[in-house]
Amino acid sequence: MAQEYDLVILGGGTGGYVAAIRASQLGLKTAIVEKGKLGGTCLHKGCIPSKALLRSAEVFATAKKSDEFGVEIGDIQLNFPRVQERKEQIVEQLHRGVQHLMKQGKIDVYEGNGTILGPSIFSPMPGTISVAMKNGKENEMLIPKNVIIATGSRPRSLPGLDIDGQFILSSDEALQLKELPQSIIIVGGGVIGVEWASMLNDFGVVVTVIEYADRIVPTEDHEISKEAERILKKKGIKIVTKAKVLSETLEKTDNQVSISAEIKGEKQTFSAEKILVSVGRLANTENIGLQNTEIKIEKGFIEVNEYFQTEESHIYAIGDVIGGLQLAHVASHEGIVAVEHIANEKPTPIDYSLISKCIYSSPEMASVGFTENEAKEKGYNVKVGKFSFRAIGKALVYGEADGFVKIVADKDTNDILGVHMIGPHVTDMISEAGLARVLDATPWEVAHTIHPHPSLSEAIGEAALAVDGKAIHS
Ligand SMILES: Cc1cc2nc3c(=O)[nH]c(=O)nc-3n(C[C@H](O)[C@H](O)[C@H](O)COP(=O)(O)OP(=O)(O)OC[C@H]3O[C@@H](n4cnc5c(N)ncnc54)[C@H](O)[C@@H]3O)c2cc1C
C-alpha cells in the first residue's frame, strides 16, 4: 500500500539525515530512502574514516619522533589491521548514533533504491517515489508532498585510468586497504589527494603527488599552497605540479604500476605499487528518475535556487548532488534551509563566503572567505596581516611551529574578507574567524578579543594586529 508523507528524502547521507531531523523537529511526517547505509559518504567513505586513519598516522609519526620530547619508546611498530579496526569501530559507533536519531525523530527509513516517478495514479505531480527494497520484498510506493534529493556523489576518474581496486584506487578502495603499499602515486593534489599524501607519508609509504594545476590545493590562498608544498616536501613527499598525466602510458606489471606525465613539455615516468586517483567527484544524478521530471542538470549537477528548489518547486536538492562546496557541513546546512523553506519558516539563504573549509593533513589547513587574489579580483582595496606559528610559544611547546595565519581585510571599510591558516590545530581554530566573518568584525575587534597565553589562537590575534602593522611578537 502506498504511504503518504509531508517529506521524503532520497539519500540518508549527512545532507539527507540532518534534513530529516530538522523536518521531524518542525512536525513534518518524514521518510528517508537509503540504498546503502545511513550516514552516507561522510560517515562510511569520507570524513570520519579518513580522519580516523589520519589520527593513527599522526600518532605513529609523533611516536617516531618522541625522543625530541625526551620520551624514548624504542622500537615502534605499526599494526595496520588494528588501525583499520579502530576506524571501523568509530564509524560503527556513529552509525548506531544516526540510526538512534532516526528512531528518536520517528523518521521512517526505507532501505532500498529510490526512483522518482512521473505523475502517477497516486499523484498528479512528479514526486511519487518507488523504492526497490534491499530485502527483496515488493517495491514500496511513497507519496510525498515534498521531496529532497540528497543522493550525493561518487569518485571521478580520468579516461584510461579506470579504478580496478588492485593497482588503481579511488578513496573508496584506499579506505579499505588491508595492508599499506610501499609506494603510491597520487593523481590530484586537491583536498582529498593532499590528506592521503600526508597520511600515507606519515605511515611510511613513499608518496608522489602529480597535480595538473600550478600548485597543490589550488582553491586555497596561494601562500597557503606554497607553504603546504614546502612542508610536505620537507617531510619527504615528492610533489610535481603543472603535470598532465598521460593515461595512455599506464603500465601494470606483477606488483608495480607506472605512468608518465607531461611536465613543461617533457615526459617523465613515475612508478609505484599503486595509484590513487583523487580528481574530484561526480554527482549521483543517474537512475533516480530525473527523466520523469522537469529538473535541470547543469555541468553534471542538479540546478537549484537559493532555497534549493529545483525546476519542480516541490522537489528540492541539496549536498554534493548540487555541486559547489562538496562538504558535509555544507550539505547538512543546505538540508536545514530546504526543510525550513518547505515548512514556511522563511530561512535565510546561505552565504557561501561565510563557510569554513578544512584540510586535515599534517600540517592542517583551514580557511573562510576570500583569498587575497579573489579579494583583489573582486575589486577590494586589500590589506593583509600575517603571523607565523614560529613566534607562538604553544606551537613550539607542541612541537609543530610551521605555518601561519593570514588575514585579508578591506582597506576602505576595515572588514575582514578572508582568513587563511596552515599549521597545528587550525581546523579547530577556524571557527573564530568564521564567527568574525558572520558578525562582520574588523581586525581591530579580533585583536581586542584577548587571546589566552599560551595558546595557538594567539596567532589569530597577532595576525589581526599585523593587518595594521601592530603585531607584537614579529
Ligand atoms: C575521502 C573523503 C573525505 C572527505 N572528508 C571530508 C571532511 O573532512 N569534511 C567534510 O566536510 N567533507 C568531507 N568529505 C565530503 C563529504 O563526505 C560530502 O560532502 C558529504 O558526504 C555530502 O553529503 P550528501 O548528503 O550530499 O551525500 P552523501 O554523503 O554522498 O550521501 C548520499 C546518500 O544517498 C544514497 N543514495 C544515492 N542514490 C540513492 C537512491 N537512488 N536511493 C536511495 N539512496 C540513494 C547513497 O547511498 C548515500 O548514502 C569527504 C569526502 C571524501 C570522499
Side-chain angles (χ1 to χ4, degrees):
M1 204 183 78
Q3 303 288 332
E4 294 189 12
Y5 287 97
D6 294 319
L7 173 63
V8 172
I9 301 170
L10 204 52
T14 324
Y17 89 73
V18 170
I21 293 171
R22 185 71 190 115
S24 137
Q25 288 171 348
L26 290 169
L28 302 180
K29 189 181 176 208
T30 304
I32 281 191
V33 182
E34 171 54 58
K35 68 174 182 182
K37 285 182 175 176
L38 281 175
T41 304
C42 177
L43 180 50
H44 300 281
K45 298 175 180 175
C47 329
I48 299 299
S50 64
K51 266 81 258 181
L53 296 185
L54 274 155
R55 173 70 179 134
S56 287
E58 184 190 20
V59 170
F60 186 53
T62 307
K64 278 197 282 187
K65 58 175 188 186
S66 67
D67 57 336
E68 278 177 28
F69 295 81
V71 180
E72 283 170 19
I73 306 181
D75 198 22
I76 294 155
Q77 298 295 327
L78 180 68
N79 180 349
F80 194 64
R82 176 67 197 119
V83 168
Q84 287 285 28
E85 199 180 291
R86 176 176 184 274
K87 175 203 82 179
E88 296 299 333
Q89 282 165 352
I90 294 167
V91 169
E92 202 29 57
Q93 183 176 341
L94 292 171
H95 185 211
R96 282 196 301 273
V98 178
Q99 288 169 319
H100 167 75
L101 288 170
M102 295 302 101
K103 282 205 183 95
Q104 186 176 269
K106 299 192 169 41
I107 297 156
D108 291 340
V109 178
Y110 292 85
E111 293 184 2
N113 191 84
T115 313
I116 300 173
L117 303 179
S120 65
I121 50 162
F122 302 110
S123 163
M125 292 192 297
T128 300
I129 289 181
S130 159
V131 188
M133 298 296 286
K134 251 194 202 164
N135 58 14
K137 285 194 182 154
E138 200 180 316
N139 279 15
E140 292 278 358
M141 210 55 83
L142 313 180
I143 310 166
K145 291 195 181 99
N146 298 280
V147 175
I148 295 180
I149 300 172
T151 47
S153 65
R154 62 187 185 279
R156 189 168 87 83
S157 191
L158 294 173
L161 218 55
D162 299 330
I163 307 297
D164 63 13
Q166 190 193 350
F167 291 106
I168 306 182
L169 318 176
S170 73
S171 58
D172 286 2
E173 291 76 27
L175 281 168
Q176 299 306 328
L177 282 172
K178 297 231 173 340
E179 53 188 56
L180 287 166
Q182 300 264 328
S183 56
I184 196 157
I185 296 165
I186 299 182
V187 176
V191 176
I192 293 178
V194 163
E195 285 188 359
W196 278 93
S198 162
M199 175 218 298
L200 293 172
N201 172 263
D202 277 347
F203 276 139
V205 178
V206 176
V207 179
T208 304
V209 177
I210 305 179
E211 167 57 46
Y212 181 73
D214 60 354
R215 56 192 173 100
I216 55 168
V217 286
T219 53
E220 297 301 314
D221 187 273
H222 65 283
E223 289 193 271
I224 297 286
S225 292
K226 198 170 158 202
E227 180 73 345
E229 186 169 333
R230 185 188 72 78
I231 299 170
L232 293 175
K233 278 183 170 167
K234 196 171 78 176
K235 290 174 72 166
I237 298 174
K238 181 167 181 171
I239 298 174
V240 286
T241 52
K242 291 191 214 157
K244 185 172 180 237
V245 164
L246 306 167
S247 307
E248 65 279 11
T249 63
L250 179 72
E251 274 182 36
K252 300 174 189 173
T253 57
D254 282 353
N255 53 6
Q256 283 275 310
V257 58
S258 74
I259 195 157
S260 301
E262 192 186 304
I263 305 160
K264 290 184 194 147
E266 304 220 336
K267 205 163 128 184
Q268 204 175 321
T269 303
F270 303 89
S271 307
E273 253 182 59
K274 296 195 188 293
I275 294 180
L276 170 65
V277 186
S278 55
V279 292
R281 299 186 54 90
L282 293 171
N284 292 329
T285 55
E286 303 85 0
N287 309 320
I288 55 173
L290 294 187
Q291 71 283 2
N292 302 324
T293 71
E294 297 295 319
I295 293 174
K296 286 192 183 149
I297 305 266
E298 178 69 26
K299 294 187 180 146
F301 299 103
I302 294 181
E303 217 177 79
V304 291
N305 67 13
E306 76 261 52
Y307 298 111
F308 307 105
Q309 285 171 295
T310 66
E311 255 343 79
E312 305 272 3
S313 60
H314 66 297
I315 304 183
Y316 293 67
I318 58 156
D320 281 11
V321 78
I322 62 166
L325 288 179
Q326 289 182 310
L327 294 169
H329 45 292
V330 174
S332 49
H333 204 82
E334 289 171 349
I336 289 169
V337 170
V339 166
E340 291 183 351
H341 192 256
I342 289 167
N344 289 321
E345 291 279 308
K346 299 190 173 44
T348 310
I350 297 176
D351 176 349
Y352 287 87
S353 78
L354 299 179
I355 293 176
S356 301
K357 300 179 288 170
C358 295
I359 305 176
Y360 297 83
S361 48
S362 168
E364 292 188 346
M365 292 168 244
S367 63
V368 59
F370 302 132
T371 65
E372 183 180 349
N373 288 339
E374 280 168 354
K376 284 179 179 160
E377 278 158 23
K378 286 181 185 297
Y380 289 104
N381 196 4
V382 164
K383 57 180 177 176
V384 168
K386 218 172 119 182
F387 198 83
S388 166
F389 279 110
R390 209 154 285 287
I392 297 293
K394 182 80 179 279
L396 294 176
V397 168
Y398 198 75
E400 303 274 344
D402 276 325
F404 55 81
V405 173
K406 172 175 174 176
I407 298 183
V408 180
D410 184 344
K411 256 187 205 166
D412 301 327
T413 63
N414 233 1
D415 285 340
I416 292 176
L417 301 171
V419 180
H420 309 276
M421 306 179 180
I422 178 166
H425 292 285
V426 296
T427 60
D428 290 313
M429 297 207 300
I430 193 66
S431 297
E432 176 183 351
L435 183 63
R437 289 265 303 139
V438 169
L439 299 179
D440 233 347
T442 62
W444 183 89
E445 283 159 320
V446 171
H448 279 73
T449 308
I450 298 171
H451 292 83
H453 177 75
S455 73
L456 295 169
S457 69
E458 285 176 281
I460 301 177
E462 288 274 23
L465 285 171
V467 170
D468 293 309
K470 293 190 285 193
I472 301 295
H473 293 91
S474 66

